[in-house]
Amino acid sequence: MSFKLYQHAPDFKLSSVQGEEFHFSEDLKGNNHWYLFVYFRGSWCPVCMSELDEFQNTLSYFEEHDIKFAAITHESKDSLEKMVSEHDFTFPVLMDENLEFLSHYQVHYHDEHAPYEDHGTHGEPAYFLTDEQGRVLYQQRQTSPFGRPHPDEIRKIIKYIRENLK
């Protein structure tokens, strides 16, 4: 069961690979930003890395539209530090070490009970866009690595929502 659109997104507090702590409800205070959170499988996933490279290459779009972007996964800090360094990511990469975000946001978890083998246990891609008050404007959860929206599609979705928001 997922939460409804325009419902407040669950609060969370996660550490970033860059050494900062991100607390969603605290960051909402006094800010007028929207937020785009992208949950990704891990640094070992070539599709995820291609997608995050694309988000990095178009980060100026999100900045120009007052949208804070962050990527989230449950992978180890060492692997994520290497990933950030190799890809020159400047956006926050948040570590969901206890699967708190995954659980609260109902991200699909590929575990040992999954019907097919797929690189062991991991969270699948998921996307959450909120407004400046933390209300969910868009959400999508995948159950496999394929079928996810391309960053171009995410930008189209953002534009559509902004133009049609009541």
Side-chain angles (χ1 to χ4, degrees):
M1 179 178 182
S2 62
F3 36 88
K4 295 179 181 180
L5 291 179
Y6 226 50
Q7 176 181 341
H8 280 87
D11 190 21
F12 65 93
K13 186 188 316 185
L14 297 174
S15 296
S16 75
V17 172
Q18 295 87 345
E20 299 170 0
E21 187 169 270
F22 179 83
H23 188 175
F24 186 42
S25 64
E26 290 299 315
D27 203 73
L28 286 169
K29 294 177 183 175
N31 281 319
N32 201 24
H33 303 312
W34 285 14
Y35 296 82
L36 176 61
F37 301 118
V38 174
Y39 205 96
F40 69 103
R41 301 171 91 210
S43 65
W44 49 266
C45 173
V47 178
C48 298
M49 292 304 91
S50 176
E51 177 184 59
L52 292 177
D53 284 337
E54 178 69 25
F55 276 118
Q56 177 64 50
N57 291 337
T58 59
L59 203 54
S60 62
Y61 170 87
F62 300 101
E63 293 166 351
E64 289 167 11
H65 290 87
D66 291 321
I67 299 169
K68 286 190 172 187
F69 175 84
I72 304 169
T73 192
H74 66 284
E75 195 173 2
S76 74
K77 183 175 183 175
D78 290 342
S79 296
L80 294 174
E81 285 175 337
K82 182 178 176 190
M83 175 198 77
V84 167
S85 175
E86 287 177 358
H87 290 264
D88 294 322
F89 292 149
T90 59
F91 52 79
V93 176
L94 305 177
M95 299 177 295
D96 191 21
E97 296 171 296
N98 298 318
L99 305 178
E100 176 186 332
F101 184 97
L102 182 139
S103 175
H104 292 309
Y105 280 72
Q106 301 160 4
V107 173
H108 179 72
Y109 188 64
H110 187 100
D111 62 15
E112 62 275 359
H113 303 294
Y116 54 91
E117 174 52 39
D118 183 22
H119 299 86
T121 58
H122 57 272
E124 292 291 0
Y127 306 80
F128 304 93
L129 177 69
T130 75
D131 68 8
E132 67 281 352
Q133 295 178 30
R135 294 175 296 205
V136 178
L137 299 175
Y138 170 80
Q139 59 185 318
Q140 185 178 50
R141 296 169 190 81
Q142 299 296 123
T143 59
S144 74
F146 306 107
R148 65 180 93 187
H150 186 274
D152 286 340
E153 294 300 314
I154 295 289
R155 290 189 297 275
K156 289 178 190 175
I157 289 165
I158 291 168
K159 182 179 179 191
Y160 176 81
I161 290 171
R162 281 199 191 267
E163 290 173 355
N164 293 287
L165 196 59
K166 294 179 182 182

